[in-house]
Amino acid sequence: MSWTQRQEEGAGRAMGVKVTDRGSRAAEFIGYRDAALAHAEPFPEWWAKHGE
């Protein structure tokens, strides 16, 4: 069954999803988020340089 067929049959609901271990990788992704935020430039400063 293709994704399109599943989407039509499920009316946009996720089908066959099973959460097996909540939080087993949460710390990993929190680390990615924190690294991205540490390298991010605040929007007002970015807009002052690159905005219209």
Side-chain angles (χ1 to χ4, degrees):
M1 178 183 298
S2 72
W3 169 252
T4 305
Q5 289 170 327
R6 283 187 182 180
Q7 201 170 23
E8 290 169 0
E9 291 174 9
R13 290 179 288 138
M15 299 176 67
V17 176
K18 181 178 178 184
V19 177
T20 57
D21 186 10
R22 293 178 188 264
S24 65
R25 295 185 65 197
E28 175 187 355
F29 290 105
I30 290 169
Y32 296 148
R33 179 206 58 197
D34 292 346
L37 289 174
H39 291 90
E41 181 174 5
F43 183 75
E45 285 83 354
W46 181 90
W47 189 255
K49 294 178 192 174
H50 307 286
E52 296 180 278

